[in-house]
Amino acid sequence: MEPSEAWGVRWEMATSPLAKRYMEVATDKQSLVCLAADRNTMAGLFELIEAVGPFVAALKTHVDLVDDWTAEAWAQFCQSAHDANLLIFEDRKFADIGKISRSQMAGVYDIRSWSDLVTAHLISGPDIVDGLQAGWADVDRNGGVLLLAQMSSRGNLLHPAYTDEVVQKGTVHSGVFGFIGNGSRPDELQHLRSTVGEEKMIWTPGVNLAVGDGEMGQRYGDPAEAVLAGSDCIIVGSGIHKSSDPVASAKAYALASWNGLIQRNG
Ligand code: 5BU
């Protein structure tokens, strides 16, 4: 199937080359799954990406939770992600003023040099997006920002009026790739999609085939329902990396997400 057929209006309206790249890979693999690779050792990460890389469309990292992190091992890990044709998304949740966020793209982890996407809160104002874009520009790379419009965790403070303002400011900024939405609540997602419009991506954590409450306030909704409600990518962590059979789980999430997309555009 061609991406234009699978994605319909989202493909037509997308202006971001990164979004088009993601939709192409997702169509090739018939998977709208972003793997949240939350393992604490480099060996665990390598094992995971080698097993499930073919069944996911993007890789989400938390570079600062790895116990035995080294720059060399990380570069190799990023190479494995490229080999599997994955965009690399560092879920850093930047929140500082623009110039400091720019500097935080460098530092020990040098996020600007290997990430294609990063998350940011808009709590400090819209200049954070320019700061992050300047970070990529400093190393002659392009990237996209996913703004947290909603979160999946219980009791979070991203209230509807805040969400609407994030969307208002984010939809008009070319450095914004899209928004993080709450995958656990299809009604919230539907509202988010109606305010975002058709151009920008909405990616959603808080999805699991076992719907309900997760650890420490995490909430889970059904992956296909999230896509039907307007999500373009389901972010799945423990549903895959803690599964007794990560490959079978990755395939199951891929199938659910792909069916959701076909149904959405059907
Ligand atoms: P899980 O194991 O599928 O619950 O992992 C979810 C991942 O998504 C994890 O890496 C979180 O940091 C990330 N996440 C989230 O769960 N909820 C949010 O609102 C945001 C990110 Br933003």
Side-chain angles (χ1 to χ4, degrees):
M1 188 181 286
E2 291 300 312
S4 55
E5 197 185 335
W7 290 90
V9 66
R10 192 85 67 257
W11 177 266
E12 258 167 60
M13 299 285 289
T15 50
S16 151
L18 280 173
K20 290 230 152 151
R21 207 174 118 200
Y22 164 72
M23 288 188 270
E24 275 167 358
V25 173
T27 308
D28 277 353
K29 296 188 179 185
Q30 304 205 340
S31 171
L32 278 62
V33 178
C34 174
L35 169 69
D38 297 333
R39 286 198 177 162
N40 310 76
T41 64
M42 288 309 309
L45 287 169
F46 279 115
E47 182 192 47
L48 186 63
I49 195 136
E50 271 148 37
V52 309
F55 312 108
V56 299
L59 169 71
K60 188 176 87 64
T61 56
H62 281 301
V63 67
D64 54 355
L65 63 66
V66 184
D67 294 332
D68 57 350
W69 188 91
T70 63
E72 296 70 33
W74 194 256
Q76 245 180 301
F77 181 58
C78 292
Q79 187 55 51
S80 303
H82 290 145
D83 293 346
N85 221 355
L86 306 176
L87 289 177
I88 305 179
F89 160 22
E90 166 59 27
D91 191 7
R92 169 64 177 72
K93 301 181 182 73
F94 290 96
D96 214 314
I97 59 172
K99 67 173 179 176
I100 295 300
S101 299
R102 177 187 196 164
S103 294
Q104 288 173 322
M105 286 287 270
V108 172
Y109 294 123
D110 202 24
I111 292 169
R112 61 189 181 176
S113 294
W114 49 265
S115 66
D116 302 299
L117 302 168
V118 299
T119 37
H121 286 285
L122 210 62
I123 191 80
S124 60
D127 290 280
I128 191 169
V129 179
D130 299 310
L132 295 170
Q133 287 296 341
W136 278 304
D138 287 338
V139 289
D140 294 320
R141 294 186 74 245
N142 292 310
V145 177
L146 276 158
L147 291 175
L148 278 79
Q150 297 175 334
M151 289 192 76
S152 63
S153 46
R154 181 175 62 197
N156 73 72
L157 303 180
L158 283 66
H159 296 306
Y162 176 87
T163 299
D164 288 349
E165 209 165 333
V166 169
V167 168
Q168 224 176 54
K169 294 193 160 72
T171 42
V172 295
H173 200 305
S174 65
V176 173
F177 171 86
F179 301 90
I180 295 292
N182 174 10
S184 74
R185 294 290 182 273
D187 52 332
E188 285 179 25
L189 263 181
Q190 247 163 12
H191 173 75
L192 181 65
R193 176 49 77 192
S194 72
T195 54
V196 166
E198 302 291 352
E199 182 194 332
K200 304 269 190 196
M201 295 263 117
I202 296 177
W203 287 25
T204 55
V207 289
N208 198 293
L209 287 165
V211 169
D213 288 339
E215 260 177 82
M216 294 191 170
Q218 176 67 303
R219 299 174 295 183
Y220 291 119
D222 179 75
E225 275 183 34
V227 175
L228 276 169
S231 168
D232 301 309
C233 179
I234 54 165
I235 297 170
V236 184
S238 39
I240 295 174
H241 69 76
K242 282 207 174 138
S243 159
S244 58
D245 187 345
V247 170
S249 297
K251 286 181 178 171
Y253 282 97
L255 184 66
S257 64
W258 183 251
N259 285 344
L261 184 68
I262 298 307
Q263 206 180 327
R264 184 168 95 191
N265 289 323

